[in-house]
Amino acid sequence: MSQPYGQDPHGYQPPQYPPQHGYPTQQTYGPPPRRKKSSAPLVLVVIGVVMLVMFGGCAVLIAALGNGGNEPTTSAVAGPADDAEAGTGDSAKKTTKEQVVKTAGIGDTVRDGKFAFTVTKLEKRTSIGTDFLGTEAQGVFLLVHVTVENIGDEGQSFFGSVQKLHADGKEFDVDTGAAIYLEDSKSLYEKINPGNKVRGIVVFDVPKSVKPDSIELHDSMFSGGVRVDLR
């Protein structure tokens, strides 16, 4: 008698396991899953670098703070270093006197650029010019008489408009409009050759209560300027 296709002629049948017993009916084989590389070493390296930078910055900051109190606030130091460090007796008095800088005042000659300036006097007016051709001050006109000498090697133009007046912590500009009505003001525009002098008058319109502190004189609008005490 013929056997069905696929059956053992001896009648052996492989065991059949029902699904509820938990035995797999078919096994699959394949390559093992790849293990992910750990990022822990990279994290540790980054943390180490950050800590080195932080500690290095702290060390620099501490060193800077430690040296800050020992460095002078200005680069110019009057007198020998040993006298300044002693700070007692005649050496200290000498150092103190040498550190005092005399402030230029009325009658003193100061220099800025190619010009030497000498403020000769101050004058106050409520009006400038005549009844028919003149102007009145909003407050009071302050007239600063100044002698300007060219100490350079070539001609230089003097402009009164670039001069500044300081009073009560404020800065005042020149009143060029009023200077037009002032005879021989010579402060609008004056060409001065080397060695020559010009006596000019710079006009400021300031409140009546203002007391001038100083005037800032310039040989041009680009110069650093020099101050003269007017008190």
Side-chain angles (χ1 to χ4, degrees), residues 56-72:
C58 292
V60 173
L61 179 60
I62 293 172
L65 292 176
N67 294 331
N70 298 327
E71 295 181 357

Side-chain angles (χ1 to χ4, degrees), residues 158-174:
F158 171 65
F159 295 93
S161 58
V162 300
Q163 318 309 323
K164 303 291 182 181
L165 180 72
H166 296 272
D168 298 337
K170 301 178 179 64
E171 184 179 272
F172 297 86
D173 293 328
V174 171

Side-chain angles (χ1 to χ4, degrees), residues 125-130 133-143 173-188 201-206:
R125 296 186 188 179
T126 57
S127 62
I128 293 177
T130 65
L133 191 62
T135 182
E136 293 186 357
Q138 297 174 353
V140 62
F141 288 124
L142 178 67
L143 282 60
D173 293 328
V174 171
D175 190 341
T176 54
I180 295 175
Y181 302 101
L182 186 64
E183 185 178 359
D184 295 331
S185 69
K186 294 184 179 180
S187 63
L188 296 177
I201 303 174
V202 184
V203 183
F204 298 92
D205 191 343
V206 298

Side-chain angles (χ1 to χ4, degrees), residues 1 33 41 52 67 72 74 115 148 161 184 189 198 207:
M1 181 178 180
L52 286 176
N67 294 331
T74 58
F115 285 155
V148 185
S161 58
D184 295 331
Y189 169 79
V198 168

Side-chain angles (χ1 to χ4, degrees), residues 3-231:
Q3 298 292 333
Y5 179 77
Q7 292 185 359
D8 192 328
H10 299 286
Y12 175 78
Q13 297 292 336
Q16 300 293 326
Y17 300 101
Q20 62 268 23
H21 288 181
Y23 295 99
T25 59
Q26 183 178 3
Q27 294 185 355
T28 58
Y29 298 92
R34 295 182 179 180
R35 297 181 60 186
K36 295 183 178 179
K37 294 183 179 180
S38 175
S39 60
L42 179 60
V43 173
L44 292 177
V45 171
V46 173
I47 293 175
V49 172
V50 172
M51 293 182 66
L52 286 176
V53 173
M54 291 178 61
F55 282 112
C58 292
V60 173
L61 179 60
I62 293 172
L65 292 176
N67 294 331
N70 298 327
E71 295 181 357
T73 55
T74 58
S75 58
V77 180
D82 53 351
D83 290 346
E85 291 177 358
T88 56
D90 296 337
S91 298
K93 294 180 181 178
K94 181 180 178 181
T95 301
T96 303
K97 290 180 180 179
E98 290 178 350
Q99 288 175 342
V100 174
V101 178
K102 181 180 181 297
T103 303
I106 297 176
D108 295 327
T109 300
V110 294
R111 296 182 177 185
D112 181 66
K114 298 179 182 179
F115 285 155
F117 300 95
T118 305
V119 177
T120 56
K121 69 175 183 178
L122 301 180
E123 183 183 356
K124 288 185 178 181
R125 296 186 188 179
T126 57
S127 62
I128 293 177
T130 65
D131 295 338
F132 300 100
L133 191 62
T135 182
E136 293 186 357
Q138 297 174 353
V140 62
F141 288 124
L142 178 67
L143 282 60
V144 181
H145 295 250
V146 58
T147 300
V148 185
E149 179 183 1
N150 187 337
I151 57 176
D153 299 328
E154 58 185 7
Q156 179 79 356
S157 299
F158 171 65
F159 295 93
S161 58
V162 300
Q163 318 309 323
K164 303 291 182 181
L165 180 72
H166 296 272
D168 298 337
K170 301 178 179 64
E171 184 179 272
F172 297 86
D173 293 328
V174 171
D175 190 341
T176 54
I180 295 175
Y181 302 101
L182 186 64
E183 185 178 359
D184 295 331
S185 69
K186 294 184 179 180
S187 63
L188 296 177
Y189 169 79
E190 198 73 21
K191 188 75 170 183
I192 307 175
N193 280 322
N196 285 345
K197 295 181 180 179
V198 168
R199 292 179 178 87
I201 303 174
V202 184
V203 183
F204 298 92
D205 191 343
V206 298
K208 295 180 180 179
S209 59
V210 165
K211 294 181 179 180
D213 296 330
S214 63
I215 185 172
E216 185 178 318
L217 300 168
H218 296 262
D219 87 325
S220 71
M221 64 182 300
F222 304 106
S223 69
V226 61
R227 288 200 184 194
V228 176
D229 195 339
L230 301 179
R231 291 168 291 187

